[in-house]
Amino acid sequence: MKRIILILICCLVPVIMVKGQEQQAQKLLSEAVYQEEINGDLNVAIKAYQSVINQYPDNRKVSAEAYYHLGMCYEKLGRQDAMKAYREVISNYADQKDIVAKARQRLS
């Protein structure tokens, strides 16, 4: 019985940790979007998006969205880095079809 409980714990702990990381990544992304769209503080938003990308590179959905919004911030600031961010989404996150479609629109 102890062995079964130990096996269950060993299986559940990683699942719980992954779920917590996904929630944290989404929370940080939401905070960055808030800075961009509500507060209009593009420089703070840029730093927050870069932080999301650096901290959660394996979360493809969140990273793709962060790159896309990073591009939007750069675009609003008139910086050429916007195109680079959009191309990053298209080149490296093809599995995230909705965000890729948005990035393609922004490039055209």
Side-chain angles (χ1 to χ4, degrees):
M1 186 60 137
K2 287 182 182 179
R3 183 174 279 191
I4 292 172
I5 292 173
L6 184 59
I7 291 171
L8 285 173
I9 290 172
C10 288
C11 292
L12 288 177
V13 168
V15 170
I16 292 169
M17 289 178 62
V18 167
K19 193 68 167 169
Q21 288 177 344
E22 288 176 12
Q23 290 174 343
Q24 184 63 22
Q26 190 61 49
K27 180 182 176 195
L28 289 176
L29 179 64
S30 295
E31 290 171 2
V33 170
Y34 184 85
Q35 290 298 326
E36 175 191 357
E37 295 181 359
I38 305 301
N39 288 346
D41 195 337
L42 300 178
N43 291 318
V44 170
I46 287 169
K47 288 178 185 174
Y49 290 129
Q50 289 170 335
S51 179
V52 169
I53 292 164
N54 292 335
Q55 288 182 41
Y56 302 100
D58 295 333
N59 188 325
R60 297 189 54 75
K61 183 178 185 327
V62 169
S63 291
E65 287 185 46
Y67 270 114
Y68 174 74
H69 280 280
L70 190 61
M72 290 182 63
C73 288
Y74 288 144
E75 190 175 338
K76 290 173 187 174
L77 291 171
R79 292 179 50 185
Q80 291 296 317
D81 295 329
M83 291 184 174
K84 184 178 176 184
Y86 296 140
R87 286 188 188 115
E88 179 74 23
V89 173
I90 293 166
S91 298
N92 296 319
Y93 297 92
D95 58 314
Q96 304 299 315
K97 297 185 187 314
D98 292 340
I99 297 295
V100 168
K102 290 179 182 179
R104 285 185 201 278
Q105 277 185 323
R106 303 302 297 185
L107 278 175
S108 57

